[in-house]
């Protein structure tokens, strides 16, 4: 690499004491020679991606929990709807039974009304006969 050529192979005499430089400059030289900056950048990029992925995983976990809670609530509602539909069918059957009872009661009521009407007519006929009989008895 270029850094190896400059720092090791073609090193000028005045720069030959670079291994004794201050820490920051020495670190930069070693980083250049061993391409550590690219490695460090790659590690930093991986760490940033891990952080982003971890955040995304947390979001997805939270969303999963929310969706699971919604699914559980939906199941409860479905069960409740099924129960209410069963109750509705039972109540419809009862209502149909009551309608039949009402129809029979109305039919019976009409029959009774007819009988009452016939009895009232017979009572009126009897009254008319009694009056005629009484009128004949008074004429004699």
């Amino acid at each position: 690499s270029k850094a190896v050529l400059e720092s090791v192979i073609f090193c000028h005499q005045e720069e030959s004491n670079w291994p004794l430089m201050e820490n920051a400059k020495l670190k930069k030289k070693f980083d250049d020679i061993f391409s550590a900056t690219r490695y460090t950048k790659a590690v930093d990029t991986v760490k940033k991606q891990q952080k982003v992925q971890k955040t995304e995983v947390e979001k997805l976990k939270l969303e999963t929990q929310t969706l699971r809670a919604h699914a559980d609530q939906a199941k409860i509602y479905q069960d409740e709807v099924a129960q209410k539909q069963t109750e509705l069918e039972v109540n419809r059957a009862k209502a149909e039974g009551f309608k039949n009872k009402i129809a029979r009661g109305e039919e019976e009521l009409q029959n009774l009304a007819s009988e009452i009407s016939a009895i009232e007519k017979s009572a009126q006929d009897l009254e008319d006969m009694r009056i005629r009989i009484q009128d004949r008895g008074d004429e004699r």
Side-chain angles (χ1 to χ4, degrees):
S1 80
K2 181 180 175 185
V4 172
L5 288 174
E6 289 178 4
S7 299
V8 179
I9 297 176
F10 299 117
C11 181
H12 296 308
Q13 200 168 17
E14 63 256 2
E15 293 179 6
S16 64
N17 63 350
W18 67 264
L20 303 174
M21 295 175 139
E22 58 187 71
N23 287 340
K25 289 182 181 179
L26 184 61
K27 181 182 179 331
K28 182 166 180 359
K29 278 278 190 193
F30 275 119
D31 286 348
D32 288 343
I33 291 171
F34 298 109
S35 299
T37 53
R38 286 191 327 207
Y39 173 75
T40 306
K41 286 180 183 178
V43 168
D44 288 343
T45 302
V46 168
K47 285 181 181 178
K48 286 178 185 176
Q49 285 299 320
Q50 282 178 333
K51 191 174 185 179
V52 168
Q53 291 296 320
K54 187 177 180 180
T55 303
E56 188 66 25
V57 166
E58 292 300 319
K59 284 181 188 176
L60 290 174
K61 280 182 182 178
L62 182 61
E63 187 176 337
T64 301
Q65 289 173 346
T66 302
L67 290 174
R68 187 169 287 127
H70 288 168
D72 292 344
Q73 190 63 41
K75 176 68 174 140
I76 290 170
Y77 288 150
Q78 285 176 338
D79 293 344
E80 196 173 303
V81 165
Q83 179 185 358
K84 295 298 181 188
Q85 284 177 336
T86 302
E87 289 177 15
L88 178 63
E89 291 303 317
V90 167
N91 288 336
R92 281 183 177 160
K94 285 181 182 178
E96 191 63 34
F98 290 138
K99 284 180 184 177
N100 291 337
K101 279 185 179 181
I102 289 171
R104 286 191 308 264
E106 286 176 347
E107 186 178 320
E108 191 175 325
L109 183 63
Q110 285 178 348
N111 290 340
L112 290 175
S114 296
E115 286 181 28
I116 289 173
S117 179
I119 291 172
E120 285 176 345
K121 183 169 180 352
S122 295
Q124 185 63 41
D125 289 345
L126 284 174
E127 182 63 26
D128 289 345
M129 281 183 168
R130 187 185 65 79
I131 290 173
R132 271 189 267 151
I133 291 173
Q134 191 176 23
D135 285 345
R136 281 189 191 165
D138 287 341
E139 282 179 11
R140 287 195 201 175

